[in-house]
Amino acid sequence: MFKKILIANRGEIALRVICACRELGIKTVAVHSTADEHSLHVRFADEVVCIGPPRSAESYLNVPAIISAAEITGADAIHPGYGFLSESAYLAEVCEACHVKFIGPSPHVIRLMGDKARARRAMKKAGVPILPGSDGPIDSEDRGLRVARELGYPVIIKAAAGGGGRGMRIVRAPADLGGALRTAQREAQAAFGVGDVYIEKYIEGPRHIEFQVLGDHHGHVVHLGERECSIQRRHQKLIEEAPSPALTDRQRRKLGGIVVDAARAVQYTNAGTFEFLMSASGEIYFIEANTRLQVEHGITEMVTGVDIVKEQIRIAAGERLSFRQGDVALNGHAIECRVNAEHPETFTPSPGLVRAFSVPGGPGVRVDTYAHTECTVSPYYDSLIAKIMTHGRDRREAIARMRRTLEMTVIEGIHTTIPMHLRVLDDPDFLAGRLSTSFMERYQAAQPPGSAAAAASA
Ligand code: MV4
C-alpha cells in the first residue's frame, strides 16, 4: 500500500481524498495556490506545498509544479480528484515516467475515452448499444449530408475531443448542415486543438443515466448501479440521484452486465463512469465514458456502502477488488443537491466571505464541503461549495430528508442555489420522477423577483 499520497486538487474533493487516506493510514500532501493558503485541505494534510498563483493554469493545472511537489515530499501516488488534471493522459504518462502511481486508469484508456468517436467505436465493438451515427469523423459536407439523411433529422454534430456538452451543434434540416459542420469543426479546433467531429441521431429531451464501475489490475470489474443526472443546466448538474427512477431491476442488471463486459474489453482499471441517454420511449444509448472520480460519487456510496475513493486507492496499489458483483446490493435511495455560490435565479457567481455556515446532520444526511463560518469563496474556481446528500429507505424519504436539511441550512454572506433546489423539490414532475435534461428550461424562464421583466409580466 502507498505511504504518502499527493492530492492534486482543492476544495471538498481534496478533503474527501484526505478522509480516505486517513482511514487507510496513508499520509497526505496537499498542494495549493496562494488563494487557498487558509483552506481546510491545507490544514488537514500532513504536508503542504504551494504550487503557484491563484489562476488554475499556473497552479492546479501546472504539471511540472505538481510532479516536483510529489518528488520533493516523496509521495508515491497522486490522486487527481475531479476536474483539473483528472482526465489528463499526459499527467498519467508523466507519473509513469517518474515512478509515481497515478490514481486512475492507464494513459491508454484515458486517451481512448477522451476521443469520443473512438470510444463510440470501442463500445459498439464491445456490444454496448450506441446511438445511430457516423462510424468515424465526418470531414466533408457531402458525407455529412449522406449520413444525416440515413439517420433522419434532427442530428447532432459533436467534437471528437469534446464531451460534457462542449462543441455540439444540433441540425434540424439539410440546409443547415454545411454551416453547422464548418462551425463545429472550427470551434473544436480552437477549443481542443483537434477539429474532428462526428454525427449522431439527436434525441430530444433525454434522461441522463450513468453507471459507476470499478476495475482492478487482476481483470475483475464490478458496477455499482447507476445515477440519474437529468436535472442540469448548461451541462452543469444540479441534482443527482441513485438509483434512477426510470430503470427497472431487470434493465439495471442487463445494462450493468453490458457495461462491466465493455469495461473489461478495454481493460478498464480504477473508477469510471459510463454515460447513457434514455429517450422518451425508454431506449438507452451509450454517449461517453468518464475516466475520473465524479462529483456525484457520494450518492452511489450511500446506496452501496462502498467507499469508492478507498477502492480507487487500493486498486492503484495493485490490490484486488475486495468484493464481487453478487456482493453489491442497492439499499434505498440517495439524492445530492449541489449547493453553488451563485444567485438562485440568475446563476451568476457569488464569491466572497461566508459570514455563517451551518448544515444540520441527523439520520441519512451526508455533507461534503470545504466551507465553514468565516471562509471565503474564491472567484478563481468553480462555485460548488457543498454537496448535500440524503439517503432514505425510498425516494420519498430521501426527498423529505433533503427538504428538511436544506430548510435548516444557514449560509450567510453569499448567495447560494438552495432556494432553487427547494423549488425543484416541490415540483410535481420532480416528485413523480418525470425527469429529463430539459427539466430546468422552465426555471430558466422564471424572472428574478423585482426585475424589470417580472414587473412587466405581473
Ligand atoms: C446528445 C443529446 C441528444 N442526442 N446526443 C450533452 C453533453 C454530452 N455528454 C452529450 N450531450 C448530449 N448528447 C444525442 N445524440 C443531448 C445531450 C445533452 C445532454 C446530455 C446529458 C446531460 C445533459 C444534456 C443536456 C443537453 C444536451
Side-chain angles (χ1 to χ4, degrees):
M1 182 41 76
F2 304 124
K3 292 193 165 54
K4 196 187 281 185
I5 293 177
L6 181 142
I7 302 152
N9 215 300
R10 65 180 300 281
E12 66 84 21
I13 198 62
L15 284 166
R16 172 70 189 87
V17 178
I18 291 175
C19 291
C21 290
R22 286 190 173 212
E23 290 179 25
L24 290 168
I26 300 168
K27 295 263 184 262
T28 53
V29 180
V31 294
H32 69 91
S33 71
T34 52
D36 284 337
E37 200 182 329
H38 302 291
S39 63
L40 287 185
H41 82 279
V42 171
R43 182 184 309 192
F44 292 130
D46 296 296
E47 289 173 68
V48 171
V49 181
C50 180
I51 50 165
R55 285 165 24 134
S56 301
E58 297 174 63
S59 50
Y60 298 106
L61 291 171
N62 185 341
V63 172
I66 289 165
I67 292 289
S68 306
E71 299 210 310
I72 289 163
T73 55
D76 35 28
I78 294 179
H79 195 303
Y82 55 67
F84 295 126
L85 294 165
S86 59
E87 296 187 275
S88 166
Y90 173 69
L91 174 63
E93 267 164 6
V94 174
C95 283
E96 262 181 15
C98 298
H99 306 289
V100 174
K101 275 272 167 20
F102 177 80
I103 302 176
S106 65
H108 171 79
V109 166
I110 297 174
R111 216 162 251 126
L112 170 65
M113 296 307 183
D115 180 336
K116 308 300 167 183
R118 263 181 81 205
R120 210 178 115 78
R121 286 198 295 278
M123 289 301 108
K124 182 179 181 183
K125 195 170 150 215
V128 181
I130 61 169
L131 278 153
S134 61
D135 281 330
I138 295 289
D139 47 17
S140 77
E141 184 171 342
D142 267 8
R143 264 221 57 214
L145 283 168
R146 251 181 293 130
V147 169
R149 189 170 54 229
E150 267 176 49
L151 296 173
Y153 290 85
V155 298
I156 184 167
I157 304 175
K158 296 181 174 182
R166 292 178 304 165
M168 304 191 318
R169 275 279 178 296
I170 300 160
V171 182
R172 298 193 178 274
D176 303 329
L177 192 125
L181 184 66
R182 285 184 289 275
T183 313
Q185 286 171 325
R186 193 164 6 88
E187 281 180 7
Q189 183 66 44
F192 314 113
V194 185
D196 289 357
V197 300
Y198 61 105
I199 298 185
E200 280 176 354
K201 174 81 189 158
Y202 180 65
I203 308 293
E204 309 266 5
R207 288 170 176 265
H208 175 170
I209 292 172
E210 56 182 35
F211 270 78
Q212 177 72 58
V213 306
L214 288 171
D216 69 16
H217 291 276
H218 307 274
H220 302 292
V221 181
V222 295
H223 75 85
L224 301 179
E226 80 288 356
R227 297 180 285 260
E228 165 129 14
C229 310
S230 297
I231 306 294
Q232 55 82 45
R233 179 187 174 271
R234 298 194 182 172
H235 305 294
Q236 292 295 315
K237 294 168 186 165
L238 303 171
I239 301 177
E240 303 98 341
E241 58 186 288
S244 164
L247 278 196
T248 63
D249 278 343
R250 233 186 92 143
Q251 285 176 302
R252 176 171 304 110
R253 246 194 314 277
K254 180 166 174 224
L255 200 52
I258 290 172
V259 166
V260 163
D261 289 345
R264 202 179 285 115
V266 297
Q267 292 181 51
Y268 199 98
T269 57
N270 218 280
T273 303
F274 289 73
E275 294 189 6
F276 294 84
L277 297 183
M278 182 191 261
S279 68
S281 53
E283 264 97 32
I284 301 172
Y285 309 98
F286 170 84
I287 44 168
E288 52 191 74
N290 298 317
T291 55
R292 60 169 190 280
L293 178 69
Q294 295 211 215
V295 174
E296 60 272 24
H297 73 279
I299 52 173
T300 296
E301 295 182 327
M302 289 179 104
V303 295
T304 61
V306 174
D307 184 323
I308 294 171
V309 181
K310 287 205 295 203
E311 292 300 332
Q312 283 193 290
I313 294 169
R314 291 197 193 101
I315 288 166
E319 292 186 11
R320 283 164 194 278
L321 276 174
S322 60
F323 57 92
R324 291 159 195 271
Q325 193 63 55
D327 302 323
V328 179
L330 296 185
N331 169 31
H333 202 94
I335 298 196
E336 168 173 277
C337 287
R338 298 192 188 189
V339 178
N340 289 341
E342 290 168 5
H343 193 281
E345 312 258 357
T346 59
F347 297 94
T348 48
S350 179
L353 176 68
V354 176
R355 286 190 298 98
F357 185 89
S358 170
V359 186
V365 178
R366 166 175 168 180
V367 181
D368 283 16
T369 184
Y370 72 90
H372 55 87
T373 293
E374 301 270 295
C375 78
T376 48
V377 175
S378 167
Y380 289 99
Y381 311 110
D382 82 59
S383 62
L384 180 75
I385 53 170
K387 302 187 309 201
I388 300 187
M389 293 164 259
T390 57
H391 181 256
R393 280 165 300 181
D394 53 26
R395 190 169 185 266
R396 280 169 63 117
E397 190 173 48
I399 292 172
R401 285 183 163 153
M402 181 60 78
R403 185 177 296 115
R404 65 95 176 149
T405 304
L406 293 176
E407 284 167 354
M408 297 171 73
T409 295
V410 179
I411 303 177
E412 288 172 2
I414 57 166
H415 292 293
T416 79
T417 47
I418 287 177
M420 178 275 297
H421 285 302
L422 284 168
R423 284 212 288 158
V424 173
L425 294 183
D426 264 336
D427 184 291
D429 284 336
F430 180 81
L431 292 171
R434 285 191 293 266
L435 312 177
S436 91
T437 53
S438 314
F439 183 95
M440 287 303 292
E441 283 165 19
R442 68 182 107 153
Y443 284 81
Q444 247 125 286
Q447 300 299 330
S451 72
S457 66

